Amino acid sequence: GAMAAPHLQQPSFLLATLKADCVNKPFAQRCHDLETVIEELPAKELHGIFPWLVESIFGSLDGIIVGWNLRCLQGRTNPNEYSVALDFLDPSGPMMKLVYKLQAEEYRYDFPVSYLPGPVKASIQEQVLPECSLYHNKVQFPSSGGLGLNLALNPFEYYMFYFAISLITQKNSPVTHHVSPSNSAYFILVDTYLKCFLPTEGSVLPPPSSNPGGAIPSPTPRSPAVPFSSYGMHHTSLLKRHIAHQPSVNADPASQEIWRSETLLQIFVEMWLHHYSLEMYQKMQSPHVKESFKPTEEHVLVVRLLVKHLHAFSNSLKPEPLSPSAHSHTASPLEEFKRLVVVIPRFVQEKLYIFLQHCFGHWPLDASFRAVLEMWLSYLQPWRYAPEKPPQSTEPLPRSVSDKWAAFIQENLLMYTKLFVGFLNRALRTDLVSPKNALMVFRVAKVFAQPNLAEMILKGEQLFLEPELVIPHRQHRFFMSPTLGGSFLSSRSPAVTDASFKVKSHVYSLEGQDFQYKQMFGAEVRNLVLKLAQLICQAQQTAKSISDHSAETMASQSFFSWFRFTPSEVNGSYTGNDLDEIGQDSIKKTDEYLEKALEYLCQIFKLSEAQLTQMMMKCGTAQDENGKKQLPDCIASENGLILTPLGRYQIINGLRRFELQYQGDTELQPIRSYENAALVRLLFRLSSLLNQRFADQMEVLCSRDDFVGRLCRYHLTNPQLAQKIRYSPVVRDRMSHNWGPRISLRFLASYRTLISLLMIYFLASWFYVGPVGCTFIILTGYFLYAVIMTFFFEGWKPHEH
């Protein structure tokens, strides 16, 4: 749990009283009492309860104490507690008043380094100072008898650290009902804090206190007991780095208004995204490496909220004045910070890129990937969160992406190209007949098909591939990663344009100097797109066949279907599909999504009609002369047919299948769901007794060359099974009784047979035909059926027995 600074006294009477109230008083009453305590008591007394209060709200760092369980608290299920919690934790509510009250006194609270994200924790423990200024001058080594390293945080940092990291630590919160993450109190608070401390309009809300807590400076620098090395250059505050050349602004107290904005943004990015370092990312490319951190769907949704708000925040930047002197006098600190977020995209880009790469490579192949997909697409489309409104048009044409976004696309090229290839590889392994998977393919294709977007991505690739007229052994110096001490403003060859340099710096800083770039519009990726288009066609045909099969099934569920005896009931072949229960509406949606996705892919990659026609011909949806689907793709060998990778994919996704039939003794096949188990066993014993008793007589009858012999051979023998037994020792060993001529009564155990017999007897009794007459009618009908089938299959020629 939270640990206060070593100089704190023992728990006070106030703390003991508040802990007792947690057990004895309802939630709303406790919050009201806390508000009174915060308003009336001085900071000196509130100092001792602050760590306990933060932990009791957000839960302990080890996840044992759940706290208020904000991630499961929803207004629909608990409206009273929901509204009370949001009011208490609001930026202008009692809890933030407590934070600012303690902030004015410059109290510090210890946060264990062991609960920080993996790369940060490993860096600090190895005495390497993280690049992010959030950790600078805060590392405290344990006093005598103490365990572990701590960060000395001010109250605002301490509160936001706990708030942000509770999304990660509280994974096993009890859930008694279905919870929608976007409607939880936690999600609403994230949105509220972002709008308050990173406002798109106006300025940051001032601290709700008479004491200007917002002007409290950062913690006093403290020299660590052991010297730290750095990732690169020593970095100070983001704002101070950006306006260090403006002493007038630094001296202005108004510049302190955005320290909370910077702190909040750094904490959210570090706690939610910095779980993989570049080194870890490179190692995790191997499928044998076990991942150390697994984000949840809720985690991804919160990160998407952060991405969307950052786009809106940076896009709300006002245009720069034409006069530089006017700019220096009119630009507010918040405007400077917005400009900072724009000009330093790597502040979020690197961590988000590695986070997305991990999700694309390790997320399960199911519909929950939609959350990751939408987060990615939100980052790719900053123009969606721009304040300007699209021009009114009478034609419903897609809005063209403005050329002003070319710089963003070029400086985030890998976000568009490499992650698109990653999505293609995922899509090729998913079942596109599923409406949810088809929707994801449609969403990606629709986004990348926006007018002018593909052209700008292609331009970015051309800039990256632009040849360099520099000395080869010095080339690496021009593209040093900013995280390794390089600068985007380093001296470079005049042959390299500014745009080309920025693209190369972006790619090499994220992937390293030895990275082999795979062009999105190159031949290799184009082949992947063609494969995806082929699978889309196959999925469309599969959806159509499922729809037709469902329609036939519905039509066959009639009164007279009970009288039909189908071969599948005898040999146990599987004629259905796991997707039969999708429903006609979902199948229609699947077809619409896939059709539009294919259209968008053709627009993006300029696929011609001839290519589409050729691709359709390759689709394994053509039917043979018997009206049956072709077998899965396989190759013939001396040991039989061997499935190819394409064939395995076709089987897994239900695109093709083998006609499975029971190859053994039909009398010994498993009892079916449409059979009466007791009757199956009883009739098997009866038929076994008859076969043992009359085996010689049936053998003699079947050996005759006249009509009686042909009739007996057709109904008492199974030539196919006899041939398999003769040539297959495996089948022969599994036969537990005589496989010569025999009587089989198992068909009488079918529920359809029983119901048919009962209905015949019911009709016979209606026409006053007694049981003897009914039996005569049934036997006569079966005899005529047997004679007809004998003539049809056997003819008049003697059977080669």
Side-chain angles (χ1 to χ4, degrees):
M3 297 186 297
H7 60 271
L8 285 183
Q9 299 176 355
Q10 293 298 322
S12 63
F13 175 75
L14 173 62
L15 180 59
T17 303
L18 293 176
K19 288 183 177 181
D21 290 344
C22 290
V23 180
N24 302 323
K25 292 184 178 181
F27 180 75
Q29 182 62 40
R30 298 202 313 266
C31 290
H32 176 73
D33 293 346
L34 283 171
E35 182 176 3
T36 303
V37 168
I38 293 171
E39 289 286 348
E40 296 179 353
L41 294 183
K44 184 177 180 180
E45 295 189 35
L46 296 174
H47 170 51
I49 69 168
F50 182 66
W52 166 83
L53 181 57
V54 171
E55 185 181 80
S56 66
I57 294 174
F58 301 123
S60 58
L61 297 175
D62 55 13
I64 297 177
I65 300 176
V66 177
W68 290 5
N69 202 12
L70 297 173
R71 293 168 51 239
C72 298
L73 185 59
Q74 297 202 348
R76 182 174 53 87
T77 54
N78 296 301
N80 294 332
E81 293 187 8
Y82 177 82
S83 60
V84 170
L86 289 183
D87 291 341
F88 189 83
L89 301 177
D90 188 80
S92 59
M95 191 63 191
M96 293 306 296
K97 289 182 180 179
L98 172 60
V99 169
Y100 296 128
K101 211 170 188 179
L102 298 172
Q103 188 83 18
E105 301 297 331
E106 299 191 25
Y107 285 114
R108 297 291 179 267
Y109 301 90
D110 286 353
F111 187 93
V113 170
S114 58
Y115 289 104
L116 293 175
V120 179
K121 176 178 64 176
S123 174
I124 294 178
Q125 290 176 345
E126 294 173 2
Q127 300 182 8
V128 178
L129 187 63
E131 179 193 7
C132 180
S133 61
L134 182 66
Y135 307 106
H136 294 189
N137 303 317
K138 292 185 175 68
V139 179
Q140 299 296 306
F141 288 84
S143 57
S144 57
L147 297 176
L149 299 170
N150 297 305
L151 296 180
L153 306 177
N154 64 43
F156 184 82
E157 293 169 336
Y158 187 80
Y159 174 84
M160 286 301 172
F161 260 76
Y162 259 87
F163 173 74
I165 209 168
S166 64
L167 178 66
I168 312 299
T169 57
Q170 301 294 322
K171 287 187 177 181
N172 299 320
S173 302
V175 180
T176 57
H177 53 271
H178 178 70
V179 175
S180 175
S182 59
N183 294 327
S184 67
Y186 187 88
F187 196 89
I188 299 301
L189 279 173
V190 172
D191 186 51
T192 303
Y193 290 155
L194 288 173
K195 290 178 179 177
C196 174
F197 298 110
L198 298 171
T200 56
E201 296 180 0
S203 59
V204 181
L205 185 70
S209 173
S210 58
N211 192 323
I216 296 300
S218 300
T220 304
R222 307 179 184 185
S223 300
V226 179
F228 274 71
S229 58
S230 173
Y231 282 150
M233 298 175 63
H234 247 31
H235 296 287
T236 56
S237 164
L238 288 176
L239 182 67
K240 290 179 181 178
R241 289 207 305 272
H242 186 59
I243 59 176
H245 63 284
Q246 301 177 7
S248 60
V249 178
N250 259 339
D252 186 357
S255 64
Q256 295 292 337
E257 74 176 57
I258 59 93
W259 72 267
R260 291 172 296 163
S261 304
E262 180 182 347
T263 300
L264 178 90
L265 181 55
Q266 287 181 319
I267 291 175
F268 283 2
V269 170
E270 287 293 307
M271 296 301 108
W272 296 340
L273 293 177
H274 198 182
H275 292 275
Y276 316 100
S277 63
L278 279 173
E279 293 76 12
M280 292 173 61
Y281 162 64
Q282 297 294 340
K283 293 178 181 178
M284 289 173 61
Q285 301 307 301
S286 170
H288 305 292
V289 176
K290 185 178 180 181
E291 53 182 326
S292 57
F293 176 79
K294 299 179 181 179
T296 63
E297 184 177 356
E298 180 187 10
H299 182 178
V300 172
L301 291 174
V302 173
V303 172
R304 185 191 179 214
L305 179 63
L306 172 65
V307 168
K308 292 167 62 177
H309 189 83
L310 284 180
H311 277 323
F313 178 69
S314 59
N315 287 337
S316 65
L317 176 65
K318 298 178 182 178
E320 293 189 19
L322 297 178
S323 172
S325 59
H327 166 73
S328 61
H329 289 290
T330 59
S332 68
L334 187 61
E335 290 295 309
E336 292 288 350
F337 187 64
K338 289 180 181 179
R339 188 169 291 108
L340 174 74
V341 174
V342 174
V343 300
I344 307 184
R346 66 184 178 87
F347 179 65
V348 177
Q349 182 197 75
E350 177 187 304
K351 298 179 179 65
L352 182 62
Y353 174 73
I354 299 174
F355 184 86
L356 283 170
Q357 279 280 39
H358 174 270
C359 291
F360 273 61
H362 295 79
W363 201 276
L365 290 172
D366 57 23
S368 65
F369 186 72
R370 175 77 186 279
V372 179
L373 189 79
E374 294 299 336
M375 176 183 65
W376 173 49
L377 297 180
S378 294
Y379 184 82
L380 298 186
Q381 303 177 87
W383 47 87
R384 289 187 56 193
Y385 312 100
E388 66 267 13
K389 296 182 180 179
Q392 297 295 331
S393 175
T394 55
E395 299 181 2
L397 297 176
R399 182 184 177 188
S400 178
V401 180
S402 173
D403 289 334
K404 76 174 188 178
W405 299 105
F408 177 87
I409 294 171
Q410 293 165 9
E411 294 174 10
N412 291 273
L413 185 63
L414 291 177
M415 287 284 196
Y416 290 89
T417 59
K418 186 172 182 183
L419 290 182
F420 180 82
V421 176
F423 174 76
L424 283 180
N425 291 324
R426 285 187 62 93
L428 291 172
R429 293 180 290 151
T430 55
D431 177 15
L432 299 184
V433 182
S434 168
K436 294 180 179 180
N437 293 335
L439 175 59
M440 287 192 282
V441 176
F442 163 74
R443 287 283 298 121
V444 173
K446 182 179 180 182
V447 168
F448 278 84
Q450 294 177 84
N452 200 33
L453 178 57
E455 289 76 6
M456 287 193 287
I457 296 175
L458 178 59
K459 176 62 176 177
E461 290 193 320
Q462 293 172 349
L463 289 172
F464 174 74
L465 298 173
E466 183 177 309
E468 308 301 333
L469 301 177
V470 295
I471 301 175
H473 71 273
R474 292 184 179 179
Q475 181 174 351
H476 69 279
R477 295 189 180 184
F478 297 117
F479 305 111
M480 289 179 64
S481 166
T483 60
L484 298 176
S487 169
F488 288 137
L489 304 178
S490 301
S491 60
R492 57 190 180 277
S493 170
V496 185
T497 64
D498 288 343
S500 175
F501 182 78
K502 289 181 179 179
V503 175
K504 294 174 186 292
S505 298
H506 152 69
V507 173
Y508 291 141
S509 66
L510 292 180
E511 292 290 349
Q513 297 290 326
D514 299 329
F515 176 60
Q516 298 296 322
Y517 183 75
K518 185 183 295 183
Q519 298 181 55
M520 177 175 168
F521 294 97
E524 185 176 352
V525 176
R526 188 180 183 86
N527 289 334
L528 290 178
V529 173
L530 288 174
K531 287 183 180 180
L532 178 61
Q534 182 177 349
L535 292 179
I536 289 175
C537 294
Q538 291 178 342
Q540 285 180 299
Q541 293 294 334
T542 303
K544 183 178 182 301
S545 65
I546 293 173
S547 178
D548 296 342
H549 174 76
S550 300
E552 293 175 0
T553 303
M554 293 297 295
S556 66
Q557 299 300 322
S558 60
F559 175 79
F560 294 100
S561 65
W562 289 99
F563 297 95
R564 185 177 65 193
F565 301 94
T566 60
S568 62
E569 294 179 357
V570 178
N571 59 34
S573 64
Y574 175 73
T575 59
N577 190 291
D578 292 338
L579 302 171
D580 288 344
E581 299 179 359
I582 283 182
Q584 293 295 328
D585 293 339
S586 296
I587 293 176
K588 184 178 179 181
K589 288 183 179 179
T590 298
D591 187 66
E592 292 175 356
Y593 292 147
L594 294 178
E595 183 177 357
K596 293 299 293 184
L598 188 58
E599 178 184 337
Y600 288 139
L601 289 174
C602 292
Q603 293 177 14
I604 299 168
F605 293 92
K606 306 295 189 294
L607 301 180
S608 64
E609 186 175 348
Q611 288 176 311
L612 286 180
T613 304
Q614 182 182 7
M615 180 177 54
M616 291 291 292
M617 294 178 63
K618 290 182 178 179
C619 291
T621 54
Q623 294 184 343
D624 58 18
E625 63 275 10
N626 296 324
K628 296 182 179 179
K629 287 187 176 181
Q630 295 178 344
L631 295 178
D633 190 66
C634 50
I635 56 177
S637 68
E638 58 182 8
N639 297 324
L641 296 177
I642 299 178
L643 280 174
T644 64
L646 176 60
R648 286 192 291 270
Y649 173 85
Q650 291 168 339
I651 291 179
I652 291 173
N653 292 278
L655 302 177
R656 294 186 188 180
R657 59 181 173 81
F658 291 102
E659 293 294 336
L660 300 181
Q661 294 185 350
Y662 184 78
Q663 301 294 332
D665 186 358
T666 55
E667 289 293 295
L668 300 178
Q669 64 179 315
I671 298 175
R672 307 299 180 184
S673 60
Y674 52 80
E675 293 179 322
N676 184 286
L679 276 179
V680 170
R681 298 185 179 96
L682 179 63
L683 292 173
F684 176 74
R685 293 179 181 177
L686 178 60
S687 61
S688 298
L689 290 175
L690 292 175
N691 292 329
Q692 291 176 3
R693 175 67 179 81
F694 301 105
D696 296 335
Q697 292 86 334
M698 289 188 290
E699 188 72 33
V700 172
L701 289 174
C702 289
S703 62
R704 294 173 56 171
D705 294 333
D706 55 5
F707 173 75
V708 174
R710 289 192 292 273
L711 179 69
C712 292
R713 282 195 297 273
Y714 179 78
H715 295 283
L716 298 180
T717 64
N718 188 340
Q720 291 82 6
L721 179 61
Q723 185 177 10
K724 291 177 182 178
I725 294 173
R726 185 176 294 110
Y727 295 103
S728 176
V730 176
V731 178
R732 186 187 308 119
D733 293 340
R734 293 181 179 179
M735 298 295 294
S736 60
H737 60 289
N738 178 37
W739 46 271
R742 55 183 177 159
I743 298 173
S744 177
L745 302 176
R746 181 165 177 166
F747 72 96
L748 295 174
S750 169
Y751 287 115
R752 286 189 176 183
T753 303
L754 296 176
I755 294 175
S756 300
L757 293 175
L758 289 176
M759 295 187 70
I760 291 174
Y761 274 100
F762 173 77
L763 293 174
S765 63
W766 181 268
F767 292 103
Y768 301 102
V769 179
V772 177
C774 267
T775 304
F776 176 77
I777 292 173
I778 293 173
L779 293 177
T780 303
Y782 182 76
F783 177 76
L784 291 175
Y785 166 77
V787 171
I788 293 172
M789 295 301 292
T790 301
F791 284 151
F792 182 76
F793 285 101
E794 296 288 328
W796 292 101
K797 296 181 180 179
H799 190 278
E800 297 180 2
H801 185 58

